[in-house]
């Protein structure tokens, strides 16, 4: 099957502190957008490890996932190219750790920002996807699933250094 459909696998972190959520403002083809700290699963890594890496790259904070909030599908059409893309997102809640102020933020990330739920709802037109708010709403609704639901076979990690 040469043209088999495959969704893009992404991870996202839902990070709350004193009623505010950590988001990133990123420069996209559609202008500045707000997103959860998030990114693509890389070859040779588990979704949990990918989330830890993405939070560090996008916020310069350590992050330890503690629970799976949910698994989400979202379809998106790129403005510039018209490409039809489907994302499969694993959203995690967890503990924010040390801030490494010496680290540069990932390319395209303009800044980090802490927002209340009301501020998030009021800025929905600036969200990178509808999943930004949906994941936070699910988190606030108490959705937490054990990380053991996600199994990464050793075959994924074998030879990861060569990739």
């Amino acid at each position: 099957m040469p043209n088999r459909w495959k969704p893009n696998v992404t991870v996202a972190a839902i990070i709350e502190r004193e009623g505010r959520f950590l988001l990133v403002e990123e420069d996209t083809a559609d202008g500045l957008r707000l997103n959860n700290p998030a990114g693509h699963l890389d070859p040779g890594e588990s979704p949990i490890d990918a989330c830890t890496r993405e939070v560090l790259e996008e916020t310069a904070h350590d992050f330890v996932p503690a629970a799976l909030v949910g698994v989400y599908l979202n379809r998106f059409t790129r403005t510039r190219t018209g490409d039809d893309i489907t994302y499969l997102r694993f959203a995690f809640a967890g503990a924010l750790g040390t801030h490494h102020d010496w680290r540069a933020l990932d390319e395209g990330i303009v800044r980090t920002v802490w927002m209340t739920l009301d501020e998030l709802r009021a800025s929905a037109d600036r969200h990178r996807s509808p999943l930004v708010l949906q994941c936070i709403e699910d988190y606030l609704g108490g959705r937490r699933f054990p990380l053991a639901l996600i199994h990464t076979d050793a075959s994924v990690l074998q030879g990861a250094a060569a990739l």
Side-chain angles (χ1 to χ4, degrees), residues 100-115:
H100 305 280
D101 58 359
W102 54 268
R103 281 189 68 101
L105 300 182
D106 212 2
E107 184 178 339
I109 303 298
V110 176
R111 66 184 178 126
T112 60
V113 60
W114 289 91
M115 299 179 77

Side-chain angles (χ1 to χ4, degrees), residues 23 28 47-48 56 76 89-90 93 96 108-109 114 120 125 138:
L23 299 173
T28 73
I48 294 165
L56 181 61
F76 177 77
R89 174 187 265 208
F90 292 81
L96 192 63
I109 303 298
W114 289 91
L120 276 159
D125 60 324
D138 288 349

Side-chain angles (χ1 to χ4, degrees), residues 30 74-87:
D30 296 320
N74 174 252
R75 191 171 170 186
F76 177 77
T77 303
R78 286 200 174 141
T79 305
R80 285 182 300 146
T81 63
D83 291 343
D84 184 5
I85 301 170
T86 299
Y87 292 100

Side-chain angles (χ1 to χ4, degrees), residues 130-145:
L131 297 182
V132 172
L133 185 57
Q134 182 65 57
C135 292
I136 289 172
E137 297 275 8
D138 288 349
Y139 167 85
L140 289 171
R143 293 199 184 176
R144 308 283 192 291
F145 302 96

Side-chain angles (χ1 to χ4, degrees), residues 47-80:
I48 294 165
D49 291 341
C51 192
T52 298
R53 175 186 53 76
E54 285 292 348
V55 172
L56 181 61
E57 290 175 355
E58 293 195 354
T59 72
H61 280 89
D62 292 331
F63 177 72
V64 179
L68 177 69
V69 174
V71 179
Y72 305 84
L73 267 177
N74 174 252
R75 191 171 170 186
F76 177 77
T77 303
R78 286 200 174 141
T79 305
R80 285 182 300 146

